[in-house]
């Protein structure tokens, strides 16, 4: 392992020599990246203008002002929405990890047809689209007397995340050695003890992967909050953006709209830029090992 | 005798991993059954009623909802749209994702910067992306239209979201823009597991770069390809966001996908019964496509 790592480092240092082929490769990737990123650059540059500035957004960074941001900040009730987003995302992800690791424990460990069936049963939930079942779900919730609060979407965030998370944790469960648990069993450790002190800590890479993949879609989801939340004070960031829906056709509103877009995405951008390595590894691990 | 019986029932004979473990399933399984599986079953029940979402004194109407959905053409139209959307997003996000991953897997400088650029769109909420791309596609003053005008073309005529024939492809491109970065990261991880010595052996034997890719790299990452394609197909069949945010199903019904049609029938037309019948048929369609894809991918993986 150590040797592999050293080899990797040495390889990383010897970059490609500048040949016509290498030049073409650089040209392709640079042009491609510019095309991909250009809408975002334009949005960012426009958001820095005053709300009334209507020169073509293609003229980049001609004005620097915080006025559009201030207006968007006020329209969105940003602090409130940010706190709502943090609470619902954080709470959902925490509960998903607890529920899904618990569910994956018997599914990954017991070798019977029932366990195998449960594994496929959970995975099959992946293909069910939210829009399809939203009406019966809303009926079920109202019959159970669950009111529409900022926490109602969390129920659906957790449920929707279960198929992928159970799949992920069951896959990683194979990598947790059975022998440790067997010796703990001989020493008289209970099931709950074995789960919480041996299995759960060893699932850490999968947990990071789960936090990133599930946290990302839950933070960005607007559908469940849109259906379940009616009070504006309980909106999360993405659903708060719906109020700008009418502005997208109106160039006069763009600067404020774009500032709102940046504000909405900002928390996640900051998290991504600080934890880039964990992000990339977490996404890859989720799909490759799971 | 007893052992034979036990084996037949598929019972668990492990001491360490005994059946008490099933108690750990309770929270997840309860939520999954109550909020995910039970609602699907309820769809069958609502599909034979004229429920409108508010009034619980609904009547049973038999197969009328199904007959209506099948006869008014909404089902075939949205099936066609969903299928096109799914095929475009699956093919493009995988081809672009794999190509970029292969370029970034060479000894290239500034790898981190390129990777960040390519992955960046995946961070944004669909609603923010919908707004940004509404600007990009906007006729006359949008980003692409302005660029066309700048180089002397007719920017005012550029209106992909207003054109029957291209609107669906236009929103599929938006999905590709968001999704290919994630696909790329998964491919990159797959490519990094390839043993360098195999490629070296291939080079010594005189393989061209294309042969190296086709005969060594692709077969070795076949499981990564499978997982990426499956994930892309599943999300493609759920297409809803950009029809909802950018085009509202239009122009006409050109971007009405299955899930957009369900949403519209249920929430705009207030016809829960019909929406449920539609959902049942749409679900059968999604299951059929998924099964066909799984069979195909299994066979394909063996071939590679």
């Amino acid at each position: 392992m150590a040797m592999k790592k050293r080899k990797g480092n040495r390889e990383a240092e010897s970059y490609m020599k500048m040949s016509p082929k290498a030049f073409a490769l650089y040209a392709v990737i640079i042009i491609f990246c510019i095309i991909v990123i250009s809408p975002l650059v334009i949005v960012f540059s426009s958001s820095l203008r005053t709300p009334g500035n209507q020169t073509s957004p293609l003229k980049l960074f001609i004005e620097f002002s915080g006025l559009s941001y201030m207006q968007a900040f006020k329209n969105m009730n940003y602090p409130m929405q940010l706190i709502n987003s943090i609470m619902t995302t954080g709470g959902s992800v925490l509960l998903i990890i607890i529920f899904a690791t618990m569910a994956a424990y018997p599914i990954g460990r017991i070798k019977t047809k029932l366990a195998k069936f449960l594994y496929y049963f959970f995975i099959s939930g992946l293909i069910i689209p939210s829009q399809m079942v939203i009406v019966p779900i809303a009926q079920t919730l109202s019959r159970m007397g669950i009111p529409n609060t900022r926490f109602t979407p969390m129920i659906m965030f957790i449920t929707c995340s279960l198929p992928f998370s159970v799949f992920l944790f069951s896959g990683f469960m194979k990598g947790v050695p059975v022998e440790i648990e067997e010796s703990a069993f001989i020493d008289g450790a209970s099931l709950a003890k074995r789960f919480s002190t041996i299995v759960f800590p060893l699932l850490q890479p999968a947990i990071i992967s789960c936090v990133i993949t599930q946290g990302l879609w839950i933070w960005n989801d607007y559908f469940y909050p849109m259906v379940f939340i009616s009070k504006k004070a309980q909106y999360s960031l993405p659903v708060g953006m719906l109020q700008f829906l009418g502005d997208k056709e109106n160039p006069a509103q763009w600067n404020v709209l774009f500032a709102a877009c940046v504000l909405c995405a900002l928390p996640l951008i900051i998290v991504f830029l600080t934890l880039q390595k964990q992000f990339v590894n977490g996404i890859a691990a989720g799909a490759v090992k799971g | 005798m007893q052992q034979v019986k036990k084996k037949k029932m598929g019972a668990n004979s492990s001491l360490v991993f005994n059946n008490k473990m099933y108690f750990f399933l309770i929270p997840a399984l309860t939520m999954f059954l109550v909020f995910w599986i039970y609602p699907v079953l309820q769809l069958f029940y609502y599909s034979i009623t004229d429920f409108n979402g508010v009034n619980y004194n609904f009547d049973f109407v038999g197969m009328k909802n199904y007959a209506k959905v099948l006869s008014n053409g909404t089902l075939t139209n949205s099936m066609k749209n969903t299928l096109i959307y799914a095929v475009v997003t699956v093919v493009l996000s995988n081809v672009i994702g794999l190509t970029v991953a292969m370029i970034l897997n060479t000894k290239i400088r500034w790898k981190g910067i390129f990777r960040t650029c390519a992955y960046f769109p995946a961070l944004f909420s669909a609603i923010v992306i919908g707004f940004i791309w509404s600007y990009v596609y906007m006729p006359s003053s949008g980003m692409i239209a302005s660029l066309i005008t700048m180089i002397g073309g007719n920017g005012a005529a550029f209106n992909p979201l207003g054109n029957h024939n291209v609107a669906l492809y236009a929103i599929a491109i938006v999905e590709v823009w968001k999704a290919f970065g994630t696909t790329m990261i998964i491919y990159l991880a797959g490519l990094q597991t390839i043993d360098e010595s195999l490629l070296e052996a291939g080079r010594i034997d005189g393989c061209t770069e294309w042969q190296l890719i086709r005969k060594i790299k692709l077969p070795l990452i076949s499981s990564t390809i499978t997982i990426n394609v499956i994930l892309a197909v599943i999300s493609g069949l759920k297409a809803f966001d950009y029809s909802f945010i950018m085009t509202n199903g239009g122009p006409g019904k050109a971007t009405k996908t299955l899930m957009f049609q369900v949403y519209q029938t249920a929430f705009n037309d207030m016809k829960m019964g019909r929406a449920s019948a539609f959902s049942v048929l749409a679900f059968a369609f999604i299951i059929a496509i998924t099964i066909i894809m799984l069979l195909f991918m299994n066979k394909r993986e063996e071939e590679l």
Side-chain angles (χ1 to χ4, degrees):
Chain A
M1 188 66 206
M3 216 174 90
K4 203 175 160 198
K5 196 154 193 183
R6 212 177 315 135
K7 196 178 154 213
N9 281 346
R10 205 178 55 220
E11 268 175 4
E13 277 156 26
S14 63
Y15 291 116
M16 209 185 285
K17 299 254 159 50
M18 259 307 171
S19 61
K21 209 182 101 197
F23 183 76
L25 219 53
Y26 276 109
V28 168
I29 192 81
I30 288 172
I31 291 170
F32 180 76
C33 281
I34 289 173
I35 292 173
V36 167
I37 225 73
S38 57
L40 298 175
V41 174
I42 292 172
V43 163
F44 182 58
S45 106
S46 299
S47 70
L48 288 168
R49 300 172 175 187
T50 49
N53 186 340
Q54 282 190 53
T55 40
S56 165
L58 290 189
K59 297 199 178 76
L60 295 174
F61 302 110
I62 47 167
E63 189 184 4
F64 294 93
S65 134
L67 283 175
S68 295
Y69 278 99
M70 274 155 75
Q71 198 170 329
F73 194 88
K74 217 174 73 207
N75 289 359
M76 291 167 84
N77 195 359
Y78 191 70
M80 195 70 234
Q81 291 187 4
L82 182 65
I83 290 169
N84 287 338
S85 274
I86 292 173
M87 279 198 301
T88 45
T89 309
S92 307
V93 170
L94 187 73
L95 289 172
I96 289 161
I97 287 167
I98 296 171
F99 290 176
T101 46
M102 280 173 71
Y105 187 40
I107 289 176
R109 281 293 190 239
I110 297 179
K111 302 270 172 276
T112 61
K113 279 193 180 129
L114 178 63
K116 192 134 204 174
F117 167 76
L118 285 166
Y119 176 70
Y120 286 113
F121 184 56
F122 271 109
I123 292 182
S124 67
L126 269 179
I127 62 168
I128 302 174
S130 320
Q131 287 79 20
M132 194 177 93
V133 284
I134 194 72
V135 173
I137 287 171
Q139 305 300 339
T140 309
L141 285 174
S142 77
R143 222 173 307 146
M144 289 168 83
I146 297 172
N148 284 357
T149 67
R150 73 195 74 188
F151 301 111
T152 319
M154 283 174 61
I155 298 173
M156 292 324 296
F157 289 152
I158 296 168
T159 313
C160 270
S161 294
L162 281 175
F164 183 80
S165 310
V166 170
F167 164 72
L168 179 73
F169 289 125
S170 313
F172 270 82
M173 202 65 82
K174 289 182 206 121
V176 179
V178 194
E179 290 78 9
I180 309 179
E181 271 197 78
E182 282 168 351
S183 62
F185 174 75
I186 292 166
D187 293 343
S190 68
L191 258 182
K193 181 112 186 143
R194 264 154 53 195
F195 176 72
S196 58
T197 58
I198 300 171
V199 178
F200 192 80
L202 285 173
L203 282 176
Q204 201 208 351
I207 291 170
I208 294 174
S209 173
C210 184
V211 169
I212 288 163
T213 52
Q214 304 309 299
L216 193 62
W217 86 259
I218 293 172
W219 179 275
N220 281 335
D221 186 72
Y222 64 94
F223 187 71
Y224 288 117
M226 178 178 84
V227 175
F228 289 126
I229 299 178
S230 36
K231 290 199 195 82
K232 228 181 149 188
Q234 302 180 342
Y235 279 177
S236 61
L237 282 172
V239 75
M241 291 299 290
L242 278 174
Q243 63 171 305
F244 295 100
L245 203 56
D247 295 348
K248 72 182 198 298
E249 311 289 343
N250 183 357
Q253 302 287 341
W254 276 349
N255 295 351
V256 177
L257 171 65
F258 290 161
C261 286
V262 174
L263 283 176
C264 180
L266 194 62
L268 217 48
I269 294 174
I270 294 171
V271 173
F272 172 69
L273 291 179
T274 43
L275 299 173
Q276 218 182 116
K277 207 166 171 193
Q278 283 85 341
F279 246 82
V280 171
N281 293 341
I283 289 158
V288 174
K289 279 197 200 149
Chain B
M1 184 60 206
Q2 198 150 16
Q3 221 170 7
V4 172
K5 203 177 165 196
K6 253 188 175 176
K7 245 195 178 149
K8 234 181 195 171
M9 287 169 65
N12 181 11
S13 53
S14 168
L15 257 181
V16 186
F17 304 114
N18 55 34
N19 284 331
K20 263 192 228 155
M21 289 178 92
Y22 283 121
F23 282 111
F24 279 83
L25 271 166
I26 290 171
L29 198 59
T30 313
M31 288 199 82
F32 191 65
L33 287 173
V34 174
F35 297 112
W36 213 226
I37 302 300
Y38 176 58
V40 174
L41 299 177
Q42 272 181 304
L43 285 177
F44 288 91
Y45 172 72
Y46 285 129
S47 72
I48 51 166
T49 68
D50 62 357
F51 183 41
N52 63 5
V54 189
N55 184 358
Y56 275 94
N57 293 323
F58 48 76
D59 294 319
F60 290 93
V61 294
M63 302 308 274
K64 233 170 94 185
N65 285 324
Y66 288 97
K68 185 83 190 166
V69 165
L70 287 171
S71 65
N72 68 7
T74 50
L75 187 72
T76 41
N77 171 60
S78 47
M79 270 185 189
K80 190 195 80 195
N81 288 344
T82 307
L83 215 50
I84 294 174
Y85 184 92
V87 169
V88 172
T89 52
V90 169
V91 171
L92 285 185
S93 69
N94 276 284
V95 169
I96 297 176
L98 183 56
T99 313
V100 175
M102 281 188 169
I103 295 177
L104 292 189
N105 199 37
T106 55
K107 285 168 193 149
I108 197 168
R109 248 174 234 273
W110 312 304
K111 217 176 276 188
I113 297 172
F114 293 138
R115 196 184 55 194
T116 307
C117 281
Y119 180 71
F120 218 65
L123 290 173
F124 290 78
S125 171
I127 189 148
V128 170
I129 291 179
F131 287 150
I132 294 175
W133 278 81
S134 294
Y135 154 68
V136 172
Y137 282 151
M138 181 111 177
S140 66
S141 47
M143 176 180 140
I144 299 177
S146 314
L147 282 174
I148 292 174
T149 314
M150 209 187 264
I151 57 171
N154 182 5
F158 177 83
N159 186 9
L161 296 183
N163 184 330
H164 276 276
N165 301 322
V166 295
L168 187 61
Y169 297 93
I171 61 169
I173 298 286
V174 179
E175 171 80 31
V176 172
W177 182 74
K178 178 180 165 65
F180 88 91
T182 313
T183 317
M184 173 207 70
I185 286 185
I186 298 172
Y187 276 128
L188 207 47
L191 286 170
Q192 276 158 1
T193 61
I194 295 178
D195 193 348
E196 186 64 27
S197 63
L198 284 172
L199 298 174
E200 206 52 52
R203 273 188 208 109
I204 291 168
D205 289 345
C207 282
T208 61
E209 200 60 42
W210 170 245
Q211 282 171 325
L212 283 179
I213 291 172
R214 178 67 192 84
K215 301 283 181 197
I216 299 178
K217 287 183 184 172
L218 288 186
L220 283 173
I221 59 163
S222 61
S223 62
T224 315
I225 298 177
T226 309
I227 193 98
N228 263 332
V229 170
I230 291 174
L231 290 177
V233 169
I234 289 175
S235 79
L237 291 175
K238 290 178 181 174
F240 170 78
D241 291 330
Y242 306 112
S243 302
F244 176 69
I245 299 160
M246 294 173 69
T247 60
N248 203 17
K253 47 185 188 170
T255 56
K256 282 188 182 172
T257 58
L258 286 169
M259 287 311 119
F260 182 81
Q261 188 72 53
V262 167
Y263 180 83
Q264 209 180 32
T265 318
F267 287 88
N268 295 0
D269 307 346
M270 299 299 276
K271 291 196 168 87
M272 304 295 170
R274 192 185 295 172
S276 303
F278 192 95
S279 300
V280 169
L281 297 172
F283 194 42
F285 175 74
I286 290 176
I287 291 175
I289 299 280
T290 314
I291 290 173
I292 293 170
M293 172 195 66
L294 289 178
L295 293 176
F296 177 76
M297 292 307 291
N298 267 341
K299 213 175 123 213
R300 188 85 199 133
E301 202 171 321
E302 278 159 23
E303 270 171 29
L304 269 173

